[in-house]
Amino acid sequence: MVLIDGTLIRTQRRTGSADRRNYSGKHRSHGLHFLALTNERGRLIWISAARPGRTHDNTAARHDYILTHLGAASLGALADLGFRGLDNDILDPVIVTGYAASRTHKLTPGQKEANRVLAVARAPVEHGFAHLKNWRILTKLRTDPTRATRLLRALLVLTNLEVNR
């Protein structure tokens, strides 16, 4: 089992209209979007290529063929509600997400408990991102996606070395 999540690495804004796609309305800042896979203890296993900050988790997962790769490796993943609708196989899901409430559909106590259990199981992925974002070099990051991808993958290795000490 792995944990999957997406995050925004905030960047310094570049001038010009080409940087508009790096603006994340959810976070109200410029940045680059990354997906990451961690194990159940929060150790980062894989990080995706940089995408514009406005990219949704589902879109990034589709572009990286996450479902295909997880299925080929016979792995399952726990994810947040940002990945709802990615895996529509009801009988044998690869990616498990929580239940979403709406104005007309309130959650039952059993669904609320399932969401609580899923949130507890997913906490290590947030810790993995926190360890990665501690590197001060990320505060000076510009929005060149290829450089950012190489930098973050190098920091992934260094973070794992630091955490294992």
Side-chain angles (χ1 to χ4, degrees):
M1 177 191 69
V2 294
L3 309 171
I4 185 170
D5 202 4
T7 190
L8 182 81
I9 303 290
R10 294 174 193 262
T11 60
Q12 295 179 0
R13 183 178 184 270
R14 287 184 162 172
T15 59
S17 61
D19 195 47
R20 288 180 189 247
R21 62 194 196 120
N22 293 322
Y23 183 76
S24 170
K26 177 182 175 183
H27 298 282
R28 296 183 180 173
S29 65
H30 286 78
L32 295 171
H33 182 266
F34 289 91
L35 285 181
L37 292 176
T38 64
N39 64 6
E40 60 274 353
R41 294 181 53 213
R43 182 175 176 173
L44 290 162
I45 299 169
W46 173 82
I47 213 160
S48 73
R51 302 211 184 279
R54 68 180 181 189
T55 307
H56 193 274
D57 289 342
N58 257 350
T59 305
R62 282 191 185 103
H63 283 278
D64 289 331
Y65 302 102
I66 295 292
L67 239 99
T68 307
H69 293 302
L70 288 175
S74 300
L75 286 173
L78 297 180
D80 60 1
L81 291 178
F83 291 91
R84 272 190 50 222
L86 182 64
D87 187 8
N88 292 326
D89 188 3
I90 297 171
L91 298 176
D92 190 24
V94 175
I95 295 180
V96 178
T97 60
Y99 295 97
S102 66
R103 273 194 257 169
T104 58
H105 173 70
K106 304 297 181 203
L107 295 181
T108 64
Q111 290 172 331
K112 287 181 183 179
E113 184 62 28
N115 280 354
R116 247 183 250 110
V117 169
L118 183 65
V120 168
R122 281 195 60 260
V125 75
E126 304 298 340
H127 294 284
F129 276 136
H131 287 301
L132 184 65
K133 288 183 178 182
N134 275 338
W135 293 95
R136 264 186 37 198
I137 194 166
L138 291 178
T139 61
K140 296 179 179 15
L141 187 65
R142 299 295 281 205
T143 54
D144 180 25
T146 54
R147 274 192 61 214
T149 300
R150 279 184 278 167
L151 174 68
L152 231 40
R153 287 185 176 160
L155 290 177
L156 168 91
V157 173
L158 292 173
T159 301
N160 284 337
L161 289 174
E162 187 69 26
V163 169
N164 288 337
R165 268 210 229 176

